[in-house]
Amino acid sequence: MWLGVVTIFPDLVKAMFKEGVVGRAIERGDISFETINPRDYPLNSYGSVDDRPFGGGPGMVLAAEPLAACVQAARERVRPRTLKTALLSPQGTRFSQSLATKLSQLDALLLVAGRYEGVDERFITNYVDLEISIGDYVLSGGELAASVVVDVIGRYIEGTVNNPESIECESFTDDLLDCPQYTRPRVFEGVEVPEVLLSGDHRAVERWRHQQRIEKTWKRRPDLLVQRVNKETESAELRDCVLNAQPANLETVEEESLCEITK
Ligand code: 9D3
């Protein structure tokens, strides 16, 4: 897969993928990764890529022409493959694991990272296939968001993760949070490893882990369980959770976890 990022801070994005599984996939050539800088297609001899907003207001707007030139350059680079273009913006659809799996099927994806107060709407109309937000908080630019998208998609590219099983059964792929993990020593500051994990009974270990995952998900992220409630195999574990523990109230879960760290 070809993955490109349009950014005026290419070093910021490249630094993110010098190490780690995605970095290695790029090194091996399993992922072709490039950055394209709008400053290479400036509006004038001063190298500007932004301008003041029509109608007034604070801040600057990324102009359409330099961004359009970047998309054209990317299309040249990936021909004859088709290029999809995604703009990272707070107005986008929320990024998710399921969107990542869909995007990882593409031949070539160009991610456009904005800066300033926004980008000229006509660039979006004429060049952008979809807009992506990574969550409800304000970043200082799209580079971190683009890096998040590259990282998540990158893990899905053939050969990126050594053990395909580890990607199959991981958190969010099947909408359950991870179970607690332990390693040596058996007792740390008086806290023991759960007995079942030392039992050598693999079926019991599996049952315990599954139970833990459902319990944790019920308590912290009941929203994730909604799509699973009809799964016959889990109805018993779920019923136990419902009877034994209060689910998180999604409106207060953040507040509650903050209480935990501030008390
Ligand atoms: C929402 C704030 N905007 C109102 C005036 C201005 C603005 C601030 C920061 C517009 C863009 C940005 C930079 N953010 C991104 O480019 C961005 C982003 C984000 O801030 N949050 C979550 N996902 C994303 S994807 C791109």
Side-chain angles (χ1 to χ4, degrees), residues 5-8 13 38 62 67 86-88 111-115 119 141-144 146:
V5 178
V6 172
T7 171
I8 56 168
V13 179
L62 265 171
L67 294 176
L87 173 71
L88 283 308
L111 300 166
V112 180
R115 280 267 149 182
V119 314
E143 283 77 11
L144 263 174

Side-chain angles (χ1 to χ4, degrees), residues 112-209:
V112 180
R115 280 267 149 182
Y116 316 106
E117 288 301 299
V119 314
D120 191 304
E121 189 67 20
R122 292 160 302 176
F123 167 72
I124 304 175
T125 308
N126 290 2
Y127 288 89
V128 171
D129 298 301
L130 81 158
E131 289 182 71
I132 301 173
S133 161
I134 62 163
D136 295 338
Y137 35 77
V138 183
L139 300 168
S140 58
E143 283 77 11
L144 263 174
S147 302
V148 166
V149 172
V150 169
D151 192 81
V152 179
I153 292 175
R155 298 180 68 250
Y156 276 93
I157 307 302
E158 195 76 54
T160 303
V161 171
N162 303 330
N163 178 7
E165 236 174 71
S166 70
I167 219 164
E168 280 279 301
C169 57
E170 73 188 355
S171 197
F172 291 108
T173 303
D174 57 0
D175 292 326
L176 284 180
L177 300 181
D178 282 344
C179 62
Q181 307 279 341
Y182 301 87
T183 185
R184 289 189 294 182
R186 280 170 71 143
V187 183
F188 170 73
E189 296 182 354
V191 187
E192 288 186 33
V193 173
E195 195 66 44
V196 64
L197 298 179
L198 311 170
S199 69
D201 183 342
H202 294 299
R203 284 181 56 86
V205 168
E206 273 320 296
R207 265 201 309 277
W208 180 85
R209 285 185 169 154

Side-chain angles (χ1 to χ4, degrees), residues 48-65:
S48 318
V49 292
D50 60 337
D51 208 338
R52 287 151 54 209
F54 276 122
M60 300 290 270
V61 175
L62 265 171
E65 288 150 297

